[in-house]
Amino acid sequence: MSRLSISNLRERKQTGEKIACLTAYDASFARILDDAGVELLLVGDSLGMVVQGHDTTLPVSLDEMVYHARAVAAGSQRAFLMADMPFLGDATPAQALTSAGRLMKEGGAQMVKLEGGMPLRETVHLLSTRGVPVCSHLGLLPQSVHKQGGYRVQGRDAESAQTLLEEAREMAAAGADMLLLECVPAELAARITESVAIPVIGIGAGPSVDAQVLVLYDMLGITPGRRPSFSRDFLAASGDVPAAVAAYVQAVKDGSFPAPEHSF
Ligand code: KIV
């Protein structure tokens, strides 16, 4: 079976079919997610928190991202595979190209996600012209937690909403093939989704984006501490992991997730 491609995901945006995404960090979960019809697996650097037990995603190394991406690639056959650029793995455009090369060549990633907007414009352009598909992660940036002053909803006032909208357009113009919006008001996410031709993934970004993603351990209710308000525990109602993941895919496809209580 061949993997879904960026063209398949673009087609879904055009037809309006929602795309179900989840994070994955190992081969066994990757197989369950793939079998349940999850269409995009994100090897997120959230693994620093949910797998390694750190307070933030900052300590995750490029070697660790490559290791986990390779495991997820080995366990899955159909899902599109995206891997996170770790904190400052893209400190310069040249370094970003080298890091992205490792995520693709050694990790098997089909796309690399970079956290940040305008400061990465040149990097996104370089990667895209060198055959590296890029997803630009905008809104709440977990790698910038110390700069943003905590994990907070972004784009709430008119000025920051306008900046985010312009940033999204600029990243698409620079060559990004996908956007990810984390914790932005649903109305703003809807405007951004309408204003770009590329698929937009949301987490805490309301129902109007093209794709939904959650951290796997949050939607299984096994992340220590409080579950984020934009997530839902699908395991509690389903009984086992494959059924929980299948329920998530179904809820994304039929639009019942996210519900109003999961949006800002
Ligand atoms: O690392 C991650 O899991 C992510 C999600 C929060 C989207 O970037």
Side-chain angles (χ1 to χ4, degrees):
M1 195 189 293
S2 63
R3 286 190 187 275
L4 293 172
S5 66
I6 181 64
S7 317
N8 298 131
L9 301 179
R10 263 192 231 118
E11 276 158 28
R12 292 204 187 7
K13 178 172 180 111
Q14 275 154 18
T15 60
E17 182 184 342
K18 299 287 182 190
I19 304 165
C21 321
L22 282 174
T23 64
Y25 316 106
D26 68 48
S28 300
F29 272 118
R31 171 155 311 184
I32 293 174
L33 271 48
D34 210 34
D35 288 349
V38 175
E39 295 156 304
L40 188 155
L41 299 178
L42 167 63
V43 186
D45 63 354
S46 50
L47 70 87
M49 298 171 83
V50 300
V51 176
Q52 298 176 334
H54 297 298
D55 284 346
T56 70
T57 59
L58 274 61
V60 179
S61 70
L62 181 61
D63 283 344
E64 288 163 347
M65 288 308 303
V66 170
Y67 170 89
H68 285 278
R70 197 188 297 132
V72 170
S76 58
Q77 291 186 304
R78 176 175 177 267
F80 187 82
L81 193 62
M82 183 192 292
D84 264 348
M85 178 71 73
F87 179 53
L88 294 183
D90 52 2
T92 64
Q95 190 190 350
L97 198 54
T98 307
S99 304
R102 287 198 60 203
L103 290 167
M104 294 182 80
K105 290 204 278 193
E106 299 172 44
Q110 294 165 277
M111 181 174 281
V112 177
K113 176 161 76 62
L114 308 186
E115 270 189 40
M118 291 309 278
L120 291 174
R121 201 180 183 290
E122 186 191 339
T123 302
V124 170
H125 182 66
L126 174 67
L127 265 54
S128 132
T129 55
R130 299 306 301 267
V132 179
V134 174
C135 174
S136 288
H137 182 149
L138 305 174
L140 191 162
L141 308 177
Q143 293 175 1
S144 302
V145 57
H146 299 308
K147 188 74 187 159
Q148 289 185 334
Y151 298 106
R152 298 208 176 95
V153 180
Q154 303 290 309
R156 276 204 194 268
D157 59 83
E159 194 183 331
S160 60
Q162 186 58 30
T163 304
L164 211 48
L165 181 61
E166 281 161 19
E167 211 165 31
R169 289 189 180 131
E170 286 289 336
M171 292 303 108
D177 284 294
M178 230 182 261
L179 299 179
L180 185 144
L181 302 176
E182 178 163 356
C183 292
V184 304
E187 207 184 304
L188 172 61
R191 277 176 67 203
I192 292 174
T193 304
E194 270 172 24
S195 72
V196 293
I198 56 178
V200 178
I201 309 173
I203 176 163
S208 302
V209 288
D210 305 304
Q212 295 291 336
V213 69
L214 285 177
V215 170
L216 177 65
Y217 292 17
D218 289 347
M219 60 79 73
L220 294 178
I222 58 173
T223 305
R226 242 187 57 218
R227 182 166 35 84
S229 64
F230 54 75
S231 187
R232 185 170 123 192
D233 181 350
F234 284 82
L235 185 61
S238 307
D240 65 46
V241 173
V245 176
Y248 169 73
V249 172
Q250 179 61 37
V252 170
K253 293 282 174 191
D254 67 22
S256 55
F257 181 82
E261 67 265 28
H262 305 120
S263 304
F264 301 108

